[in-house]
């Protein structure tokens, strides 16, 4: 079994990528803060881009110049997400940032894309005891994630890569390729 008495908080364990229990008062407070901010963001009018930008800047760890995210948006904490300049995310982005999510500059994200960092133990006893962990996601500059793509924990996608609609990215993708399918596989290079 996992020891809860190694001297670290559950937040410290989570950020280190180690097993932690999410039902922790500090993590619950941060999660509620993120839910309040995403609810406020999702309720904003498209005619009020300044309010949207203010809320995104308060919610996320870093928001580059010219970033546009169309509601609805869902995150776990928000503060572990960094988005580079000129990135666009269409409706329905889910970015579960238990571990860091880094999105480069000029990335195009289609509708209903999911960036999922959480993992759960295979051991049924640990799962029943509510232990979980996470692995970071890195999306390079100028990547295009097609609608409905799912990026799983620990994945890095290289710059200029295109991920087809509905693809499930289970492992790293190099730069300058097109990948499709479940699991996503490289079908060609981009010259």
């Amino acid at each position: 079994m996992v020891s809860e008495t190694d001297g670290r908080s559950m937040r410290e364990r989570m950020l280190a990528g180690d097993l932690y229990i999410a039902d922790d008062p500090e993590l619950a407070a941060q999660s509620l803060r993120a839910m309040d901010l995403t609810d406020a963001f999702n309720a904003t009018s498209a005619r009020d881009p300044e309010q949207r930008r203010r809320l995104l800047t308060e919610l996320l760890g870093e928001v580059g110049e010219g970033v546009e995210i169309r509601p609805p948006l869902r995150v776990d904490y928000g503060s572990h997400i960094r988005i580079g300049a000129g990135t666009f995310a269409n409706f329905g982005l889910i970015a579960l940032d238990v571990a860091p999510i880094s999105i480069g500059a000029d990335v195009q994200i289609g509708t209903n894309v999911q960036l999922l960092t959480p993992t759960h133990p295979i051991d049924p006893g640990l799962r029943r005891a509510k232990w979980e962990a996470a692995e970071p996601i890195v999306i390079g500059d100028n990547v295009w994630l097609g609608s409905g793509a799912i990026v799983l924990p620990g994945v890095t996608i290289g710059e200029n890569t295109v991920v087809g609609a509905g693809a499930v990215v289970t492992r790293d993708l190099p730069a300058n390729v097109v990948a499709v399918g479940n699991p996503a596989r490289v079908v060609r290079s981009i010259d």
Side-chain angles (χ1 to χ4, degrees):
M1 278 318 245
V2 177
S3 171
E4 291 185 48
T5 59
D6 69 359
R8 296 181 295 163
S9 71
M10 288 298 153
R11 182 174 188 276
E12 289 168 328
R13 294 175 70 101
M14 179 185 82
L15 294 175
D18 296 331
L19 289 172
Y20 74 99
I21 294 178
D23 186 16
D24 170 80
E26 179 184 14
L27 293 175
Q30 291 177 352
S31 178
L32 285 172
R33 175 190 174 275
M35 285 187 239
D36 287 344
L37 287 168
T38 55
D39 286 348
F41 174 79
N42 291 336
T44 60
S45 169
R47 298 178 190 275
D48 195 355
E50 293 83 14
Q51 175 71 347
R52 281 189 177 174
R53 175 75 185 187
R54 186 190 68 71
L55 288 165
L56 277 181
T57 301
E58 188 175 347
L59 173 65
L60 304 181
E62 182 180 322
V63 183
E65 189 66 36
V67 167
E68 181 181 351
I69 298 178
R70 290 188 174 168
L73 167 68
R74 288 290 170 213
V75 301
D76 272 325
Y77 301 101
S79 58
H80 309 131
I81 300 172
R82 287 168 176 42
I83 303 177
T87 289
F88 171 79
N90 216 326
F91 305 107
L93 174 62
I94 297 174
L96 301 185
D97 63 318
V98 175
I101 296 175
S102 176
I103 301 170
D106 299 308
V107 173
Q108 301 294 308
I109 300 174
T111 57
N112 299 313
V113 165
Q114 298 178 50
L115 307 176
L116 310 174
T117 68
T119 65
H120 298 278
I122 291 177
D123 178 287
L126 290 174
R127 274 197 325 276
R128 191 173 297 112
K130 306 302 182 206
W131 288 99
E132 56 186 80
E135 297 176 35
I137 291 174
V138 177
I139 310 294
D141 293 343
N142 201 37
V143 165
W144 174 17
L145 300 175
S147 291
I150 299 172
V151 180
L152 295 183
V155 166
T156 295
I157 299 175
E159 66 181 18
N160 303 319
T161 286
V162 175
V163 176
V168 179
V169 185
T170 61
R171 60 182 178 266
D172 293 354
L173 294 174
N176 302 304
V177 298
V178 175
V180 299
N182 180 6
R185 67 192 182 293
V186 174
V187 293
R188 73 179 183 99
S189 294
I190 300 171
D191 296 327

